[in-house]
Coordinates of all heavy atoms in Angstrom, one line a residue:
K863 N 16.6 40.7 -78.3 CA 16.6 39.4 -79.0 C 16.5 38.2 -78.0 O 16.5 37.0 -78.4 CB 17.8 39.2 -79.8 CG 17.8 40.1 -81.1 CD 19.2 40.0 -81.9 CE 19.2 41.0 -83.0 NZ 20.5 40.9 -83.7
G864 N 16.4 38.6 -76.7 CA 16.4 37.5 -75.7 C 15.3 36.5 -75.8 O 14.1 36.9 -76.1
R865 N 15.6 35.3 -75.5 CA 14.6 34.2 -75.6 C 13.4 34.5 -74.5 O 12.3 34.0 -74.8 CB 15.3 32.9 -75.2 CG 14.4 31.7 -75.1 CD 14.1 31.0 -76.5 NE 13.3 29.9 -76.2 CZ 13.8 28.6 -76.0 NH1 15.1 28.5 -76.0 NH2 13.0 27.6 -76.0
E866 N 13.8 35.2 -73.6 CA 12.8 35.5 -72.5 C 11.6 36.3 -73.0 O 10.5 36.4 -72.3 CB 13.4 36.2 -71.3 CG 14.4 35.4 -70.5 CD 15.7 35.2 -71.1 OE1 16.1 35.7 -72.2 OE2 16.5 34.4 -70.6
F867 N 11.7 37.0 -74.2 CA 10.7 37.8 -74.7 C 9.9 37.1 -75.8 O 9.1 37.8 -76.6 CB 11.3 39.1 -75.2 CG 12.1 39.9 -74.1 CD1 13.4 40.2 -74.4 CD2 11.6 40.2 -72.9 CE1 14.2 40.8 -73.4 CE2 12.2 40.8 -71.9 CZ 13.6 41.2 -72.2
T868 N 10.1 35.8 -76.1 CA 9.4 35.1 -77.2 C 7.9 35.2 -77.0 O 7.1 35.1 -78.0 CB 9.9 33.7 -77.3 OG1 9.8 33.0 -76.0 CG2 11.3 33.6 -77.7
D869 N 7.3 35.3 -75.7 CA 5.9 35.4 -75.6 C 5.3 36.8 -75.9 O 4.1 36.9 -75.9 CB 5.5 34.9 -74.2 CG 6.0 35.9 -73.1 OD1 7.1 36.5 -73.4 OD2 5.5 35.8 -72.0
V870 N 6.1 37.7 -76.2 CA 5.7 39.0 -76.6 C 5.3 39.0 -78.0 O 6.1 38.8 -78.9 CB 6.7 40.2 -76.3 CG1 6.2 41.6 -76.8 CG2 7.1 40.3 -74.8
Q871 N 4.0 39.2 -78.4 CA 3.6 39.1 -79.7 C 3.4 40.5 -80.3 O 3.0 41.4 -79.7 CB 2.2 38.3 -79.8 CG 2.2 36.9 -79.3 CD 0.9 36.3 -79.4 OE1 0.0 36.6 -80.1 NE2 0.8 35.3 -78.5
L872 N 3.7 40.6 -81.6 CA 3.5 41.8 -82.4 C 2.1 41.6 -83.1 O 1.9 40.9 -84.0 CB 4.6 42.0 -83.5 CG 4.3 43.2 -84.4 CD1 4.3 44.5 -83.6 CD2 5.4 43.2 -85.5
R873 N 1.1 42.5 -82.5 CA -0.2 42.4 -83.0 C -0.5 43.5 -84.1 O 0.2 44.6 -84.1 CB -1.2 42.7 -81.9 CG -1.1 41.7 -80.8 CD -2.0 42.0 -79.6 NE -1.8 41.0 -78.4 CZ -0.9 41.3 -77.5 NH1 -0.3 42.4 -77.5 NH2 -0.7 40.5 -76.5
V874 N -1.2 43.2 -85.1 CA -1.5 44.1 -86.2 C -1.9 45.4 -85.8 O -1.4 46.5 -86.3 CB -2.5 43.5 -87.2 CG1 -2.8 44.4 -88.3 CG2 -2.0 42.1 -87.7
N875 N -2.8 45.5 -84.8 CA -3.3 46.9 -84.5 C -2.3 47.7 -83.6 O -2.7 48.8 -83.2 CB -4.6 46.7 -83.6 CG -4.4 45.9 -82.4 OD1 -3.5 45.1 -82.3 ND2 -5.3 46.1 -81.3
E876 N -1.1 47.1 -83.3 CA -0.2 47.9 -82.5 C 0.9 48.5 -83.5 O 1.6 49.4 -83.0 CB 0.6 46.9 -81.6 CG -0.3 46.3 -80.5 CD 0.5 45.2 -79.8 OE1 1.5 44.6 -80.4 OE2 0.1 44.9 -78.7
K877 N 1.0 48.1 -84.7 CA 2.0 48.5 -85.6 C 2.0 50.0 -85.8 O 3.1 50.6 -85.8 CB 2.0 47.8 -86.9 CG 2.4 46.3 -86.8 CD 2.4 45.7 -88.2 CE 2.8 44.2 -88.1 NZ 2.8 43.5 -89.4
R878 N 0.9 50.6 -85.9 CA 0.8 52.1 -86.2 C 1.4 52.8 -85.0 O 2.2 53.8 -85.2 CB -0.6 52.5 -86.4 CG -0.7 53.9 -86.8 CD -2.3 54.3 -87.1 NE -2.4 55.6 -87.5 CZ -3.5 56.2 -87.8 NH1 -4.6 55.4 -87.9 NH2 -3.6 57.4 -88.1
T879 N 1.0 52.4 -83.8 CA 1.6 53.1 -82.6 C 3.1 53.0 -82.4 O 3.8 53.9 -82.2 CB 0.9 52.6 -81.3 OG1 -0.5 52.7 -81.5 CG2 1.4 53.2 -80.1
L880 N 3.5 51.7 -82.7 CA 5.0 51.5 -82.7 C 5.8 52.2 -83.6 O 6.9 52.7 -83.4 CB 5.2 50.0 -82.7 CG 4.7 49.1 -81.6 CD1 4.6 47.6 -81.9 CD2 5.5 49.3 -80.3

Side-chain angles (χ1 to χ4, degrees):
K863 292 176 181 174
R865 173 82 177 274
E866 290 74 9
F867 305 125
T868 51
D869 62 338
V870 176
Q871 295 178 26
L872 176 60
R873 301 176 185 92
V874 176
N875 62 335
E876 298 169 342
K877 288 184 179 180
R878 186 174 180 181
T879 304
L880 292 167

